[in-house]
Every structure is written in C-alpha cells, then in structure tokens.
Amino acid sequence: EIAGIYCGDLVEAHLAGCEEVADWTTAEVPRPFDLVVTCGGGYPLDQTFYQTVKGMCTALPALGPDTTLLQLSECGEGLGSRAYTELMLAWGSDWRGFLEYIEANRHETRLDQWEFQVQCRVLDRIGCERLWFATDGIPVELQRKIGLTPLLGEGHAIRRAQRAIDDYLSGRRGARVAVIPEGPYTMLHASTERPPAFPS
C-alpha cells in the first residue's frame, strides 16, 4: 500500500517522508535495559547474517555496557556474500584487530566491510560474551568465528533462546527487559529527558 506521497523540493520532500516514517517506527528508550531481545526482521531479510547485523545495530540505543543482547535469526543462506564471508572468517574473532586494520588502511575499502563495522559498534558497547545469537542456519563452529556467543543446547533456535531468557531472568529479579519484535524495522531513540522512575 502507498504510505504517503511527498512532492516538491527533493531534499525537503525526502525529509518530510523521513519524519513521517520516523513517527510510525520510532520507540523512545529512557535508559539502557538489562536484556534486549531482537531479531533479524523475518523472511526474507534474515536469511543471511550480513542482513541480521542490522537488527543488532538498531538495538544500540537500548544497550548499556552491562546489557545482554539476544539476537534470533534464520540465516538459512549462511553468512552472506563470498567477500563478507571471507572477511568474517579472517577477522570475526578479532574485531578490535579489524578496527585497527581498517584505521591503518583508510585508503582501502573491502567489499561489504561496513556491515562488520556496524557489528563492531555493538561489540564495542557490550562485547562478544554479551552478544547472544540463536540460529539454526549457521553451523556452531562457524558461529564461534563471527564475534558473538552462540546459544547452544538441545532444541531449535527459538527453544534455545527461550531457555536462555528464562535462565537469565531466574537469577535477576527486577531485570529490565526490552523486546524488539520488528528488529531492524524499529528505530530506537534514546530519550534526552529525565527517565521515569522504575520500581526496583
């Protein structure tokens, strides 16, 4: 369906459309959460890990240094392009080394490197150990090489994710949890106002 028509000056019309879409898709975040659960956006967007990273990035305003981010995604087509796969296999376990490498080689940009740069923003905030990932589409041995913590155990990805949530909450009474069911389609905005009082 047509959501809106924006005419006139190219820049002004584009900004008007962006503002209206932002009204539909933005959620305000008063402060970081303890646990954030998100997804890769569902089919067809979540068929590769490359696209899945977009769901991680949109969660950034809800992440503090002690937040755990649980990401679910299908990834039925694996990591993504050949160039991205090679990049992740070379640097995924050493994201800090990757950032140092691209800083030292600014004149050279590798195909699809920007998506790992986006993931590095999340890793810089919470680290690999708090970036939990549940998928049935990527072998575990490969997941261990892409800068995250795979959720292992019996059952399919949804069952493993639910078990991880239950285990997390069992020892943390009063933990603040955010669920982003639309993943990369939701724009979070950190509130600049004083956050409301939450019961402890």
Side-chain angles (χ1 to χ4, degrees), residues 157-179:
I158 294 172
R159 185 178 300 275
R160 296 193 310 274
Q162 184 62 60
R163 188 163 51 243
I165 293 168
D166 294 343
D167 290 346
Y168 181 93
L169 295 176
S170 69
R172 295 172 177 86
R173 190 166 187 257
R176 298 184 69 243
V177 180
V179 178

Side-chain angles (χ1 to χ4, degrees), residues 109-190:
T109 302
R110 295 179 61 175
L111 181 64
D112 290 340
Q113 80 174 38
W114 82 275
E115 196 72 351
F116 190 34
Q117 289 177 250
V118 169
Q119 183 181 350
C120 287
R121 292 178 60 205
V122 175
L123 296 174
D124 187 52
R125 179 83 50 92
I126 63 173
C128 296
E129 64 280 356
R130 284 189 294 278
L131 175 53
W132 294 356
F133 187 57
T135 187
D136 293 323
I138 300 174
V140 172
E141 60 273 15
L142 187 52
Q143 291 183 53
R144 295 185 196 278
K145 300 176 181 178
I146 57 175
L148 47 76
T149 298
L151 291 182
L152 308 178
E154 297 181 1
H156 53 72
I158 294 172
R159 185 178 300 275
R160 296 193 310 274
Q162 184 62 60
R163 188 163 51 243
I165 293 168
D166 294 343
D167 290 346
Y168 181 93
L169 295 176
S170 69
R172 295 172 177 86
R173 190 166 187 257
R176 298 184 69 243
V177 180
V179 178
I180 310 171
E182 297 296 327
Y185 304 116
T186 303
M187 295 189 298
L188 300 186
H189 171 70

Side-chain angles (χ1 to χ4, degrees), residues 21-148:
V21 170
D23 286 342
W24 304 333
T25 62
T26 299
E28 192 169 277
V29 179
R31 61 180 179 167
F33 289 82
D34 299 306
L35 175 65
V36 176
V37 182
T38 190
C39 66
Y43 183 85
L45 187 62
D46 72 348
Q47 291 306 292
T48 64
F49 184 72
Y50 177 91
Q51 297 294 345
T52 292
V53 171
K54 294 174 180 174
M56 296 175 193
C57 182
T58 57
L60 269 167
L63 306 182
D66 298 318
T67 302
T68 296
L69 174 63
L70 192 165
Q71 172 93 24
L72 292 93
S73 193
E74 178 67 27
C75 295
E77 297 176 12
L79 293 182
S81 71
R82 180 175 178 176
Y84 179 70
T85 299
E86 290 173 355
L87 180 76
M88 293 305 292
L89 292 177
W91 292 103
S93 298
D94 183 18
W95 63 273
R96 288 186 179 93
F98 167 72
L99 292 178
E100 291 172 3
Y101 172 80
I102 62 173
E103 176 70 23
N105 296 276
R106 291 184 180 191
H107 60 281
E108 174 189 332
T109 302
R110 295 179 61 175
L111 181 64
D112 290 340
Q113 80 174 38
W114 82 275
E115 196 72 351
F116 190 34
Q117 289 177 250
V118 169
Q119 183 181 350
C120 287
R121 292 178 60 205
V122 175
L123 296 174
D124 187 52
R125 179 83 50 92
I126 63 173
C128 296
E129 64 280 356
R130 284 189 294 278
L131 175 53
W132 294 356
F133 187 57
T135 187
D136 293 323
I138 300 174
V140 172
E141 60 273 15
L142 187 52
Q143 291 183 53
R144 295 185 196 278
K145 300 176 181 178
I146 57 175
L148 47 76

